[in-house]
């Protein structure tokens, strides 16, 4: 049940183990993937203002900036002239990014538009910076993880949309956090049910109430969905705030390629919660999480809103602690090992989809099944 091909993943990603392990470990194996041709969030719209903004994606430095019309662009953060980070530079009044070293200027497509002191044209192909297709929507700046080649080619996919943001009757709260874990571990953690009664005791679920529920799992080429059937309203604080009077619970957990963990709860007919956690791989062992929570409730939203962020951050602090120690342990042992059971419902599916996306395989195979677990 473990990530089945992790032995070939991230071979050089791990540092040499500081000490030998006494138990068998897949040496140098960690569940790391590098995905090309996919959309990831690079920043919130609010973060990207008049100055260039440096970040990384899969460990590659990138710089974001806005052109004269405020449209964002992203370039690999390395000046083609002498390898200086372009993010050290400035955005000019014409919306080009000027390198801090010799003043070459680049537009959001990566074309070199001006070279000080040069009498001939500046826009030779060899002087281009590598541009990443960029799209701003719903308050986030998304970048595509493959540079365009300087032509007009546009990606044939679009970024994920937050379905209930701005929708009548719904409130939305967003939060950005960072975890010291691989993208795979961070996604699995966000969709892993069994740890919630344990690590987050009292917040989601209490210790087991001995109720058997069924998870119906369905994987298609770009997603895996688990529907939990027969779940009573959890006794934890979060469910109590969302629906004080109880009711029938509908619960879906979904992983959507390339990096979205989605948790959806309906309790009764009037209470609905959708949490989208969009993961951005900063590097192999650091993942930024853009969490967007939309909810509808019978209770006035102004009563619920103040609880959402502090509660979510409390939950996240516990997860972040575990992910950090998990990563440290994998690195200490020089590799990972997994012993899974069928109640680790989504882990192997998530890994399979990620590896499939890494290979560029767009077909995949469908799989459906049912798992019983006691909550
Ligand atoms: S290094 Fe950028 S202009 Fe020279
Ligand atoms: Fe958790």
């Amino acid at each position: 049940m473990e990530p089945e091909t992790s032995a070939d993943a991230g071979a050089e990603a791990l540092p040499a183990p500081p000490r030998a392990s006494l138990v068998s470990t897949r040496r140098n194996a960690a569940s790391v993937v590098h995905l090309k041709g996919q959309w990831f969030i690079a920043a919130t719209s609010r973060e990207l203002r008049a100055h260039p903004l440096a970040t990384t994606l899969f460990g590659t430095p990138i710089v974001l900036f806005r052109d004269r019309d405020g449209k964002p662009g992203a370039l690999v953060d390395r000046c083609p002239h002498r390898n200086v980070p372009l993010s050290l530079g400035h955005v000019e009044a014409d919306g080009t990014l000027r390198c801090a070293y010799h003043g070459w200027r680049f537009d959001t497509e990566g074309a070199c538009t001006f070279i000080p002191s040069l009498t001939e044209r500046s826009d030779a192909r060899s002087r281009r910076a590598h541009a990443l297709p960029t799209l701003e929507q719903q308050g986030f700046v998304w970048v595509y993880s493959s540079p365009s080649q300087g032509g007009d080619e546009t990606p044939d996919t679009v970024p994920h949309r937050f379905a209930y943001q701005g929708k009548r009757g719904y409130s939305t709260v967003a939060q950005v956090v960072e975890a010291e874990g691989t993208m795979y571990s961070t996604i699995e953690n966000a969709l892993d049910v069994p740890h919630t009664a344990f690590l987050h005791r009292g917040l989601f679920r209490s210790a087991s109430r001995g109720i058997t529920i069924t998870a119906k799992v369905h994987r298609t080429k770009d997603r895996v969905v688990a529907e939990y059937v027969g779940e009573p309203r959890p006794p934890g604080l979060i469910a109590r705030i969302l629906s004080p009077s109880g009711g029938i619970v509908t619960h879906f957990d979904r992983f959507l390629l390339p990096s979205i963990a989605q948790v959806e709860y309906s309790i009764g007919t009037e209470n609905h919660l959708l949490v989208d956690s969009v993961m951005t791989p900063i590097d192999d062992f650091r993942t930024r999480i853009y969490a967007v929570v939309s909810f509808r409730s019978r209770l006035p939203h102004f009563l619920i809103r103040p609880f959402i962020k502090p509660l979510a951050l409390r939950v996240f602090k516990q997860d972040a602690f575990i992910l950090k120690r998990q990563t440290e342990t994998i690195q200490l042992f020089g590799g990972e090992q997994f012993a899974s059971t069928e109640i680790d419902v989504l882990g192997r599916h998530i890994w399979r989809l990620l590896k499939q996306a890494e290979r560029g395989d767009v077909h995949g195979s469908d799989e459906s099944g049912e798992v019983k677990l006691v909550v």
Side-chain angles (χ1 to χ4, degrees), residues 285-324:
F285 295 98
R286 270 188 309 159
T287 303
R288 193 179 296 141
I289 305 165
Y290 294 88
V292 176
V293 181
S294 291
F295 66 93
R296 184 187 67 196
S297 170
R298 207 161 52 90
L299 291 178
H301 291 191
F302 72 87
L303 289 179
I304 298 177
R305 258 188 113 89
F307 288 98
I308 299 243
K309 266 196 191 182
L311 262 178
L313 286 173
R314 215 167 122 195
V315 171
F316 175 72
K317 221 175 140 190
Q318 296 170 334
D319 284 324
F321 169 76
I322 287 293
L323 285 168
K324 181 174 190 293

Side-chain angles (χ1 to χ4, degrees), residues 219-224 255-258 353 356 362-364:
R219 189 186 72 234
T220 53
K221 63 183 188 338
D222 66 348
R223 66 193 52 205
V224 57
F255 167 61
L256 318 175
L257 275 174
L353 286 164
Q356 196 179 295
V362 293
H363 303 296

Side-chain angles (χ1 to χ4, degrees), residues 79 81-84 99 101-104:
C79 182
H81 183 214
R82 290 294 183 267
N83 301 286
V84 166
C99 179
Y101 196 5
H102 308 91
W104 289 23

Side-chain angles (χ1 to χ4, degrees), residues 3-250:
E4 61 275 3
T5 48
S6 73
D8 63 354
E12 62 295 65
L14 287 166
R19 57 179 99 125
S21 82
L22 300 176
V23 293
S24 84
T25 290
R26 287 161 178 248
R27 309 297 295 182
N28 294 325
S31 300
V32 171
V33 286
H34 292 166
L35 306 184
K36 294 192 190 106
Q38 304 282 354
W39 290 100
F40 295 94
I41 297 179
T44 63
S45 295
R46 220 184 279 169
E47 283 172 305
L48 184 56
R49 292 168 184 270
H51 298 289
L53 182 68
T55 183
T56 64
L57 183 63
F58 293 111
T60 303
I62 58 173
V63 56
L64 307 170
F65 65 106
R66 292 187 185 276
D67 71 10
R68 196 167 26 184
D69 303 322
K71 206 169 152 290
L75 304 178
V76 172
D77 196 5
R78 174 161 83 153
C79 182
H81 183 214
R82 290 294 183 267
N83 301 286
V84 166
L86 289 167
S87 55
L88 285 180
H90 272 89
V91 181
E92 293 289 315
D94 66 355
T96 57
L97 178 57
R98 187 190 64 195
C99 179
Y101 196 5
H102 308 91
W104 289 23
R105 293 188 195 176
F106 303 89
D107 66 17
T108 51
E109 304 292 306
C112 181
T113 60
F114 180 71
I115 296 177
S117 313
L118 185 73
T119 49
E120 60 172 275
R121 285 172 59 105
S122 61
D123 57 352
R125 228 188 139 69
S126 62
R127 300 175 192 142
R128 289 192 75 92
H130 294 287
L132 301 167
T134 306
L135 207 141
E136 186 168 28
Q137 68 179 26
Q138 295 184 299
F140 296 95
V141 179
W142 296 76
V143 298
Y144 194 67
S145 59
S146 294
S148 60
Q149 298 309 313
D152 292 333
E153 83 271 33
T154 41
D156 53 8
T157 55
V158 290
H160 176 75
R161 287 198 77 90
F162 301 107
Y164 297 94
Q165 185 174 318
K167 203 168 167 187
R168 218 180 129 85
Y170 281 82
S171 291
T172 296
V173 180
Q175 180 72 41
V176 187
V177 286
E178 245 176 71
E180 291 182 47
T182 63
M183 183 168 79
Y184 165 72
S185 299
T186 311
I187 294 167
E188 194 201 21
N189 168 266
L191 298 174
D192 174 54
V193 170
H195 86 274
T196 55
F198 202 74
L199 180 65
H200 308 304
R201 186 166 301 182
L203 290 175
F204 283 110
R205 295 177 173 80
S206 312
S208 172
R209 290 178 288 170
I211 301 162
T212 302
I213 62 170
T214 304
K216 291 185 182 171
V217 182
H218 187 52
R219 189 186 72 234
T220 53
K221 63 183 188 338
D222 66 348
R223 66 193 52 205
V224 57
V225 180
E227 179 186 1
Y228 291 88
V229 184
E231 197 175 359
R233 190 200 70 174
L237 194 54
I238 291 173
R240 229 173 271 175
I241 288 170
L242 198 68
S243 176
S245 54
I248 299 289
V249 176
T250 318

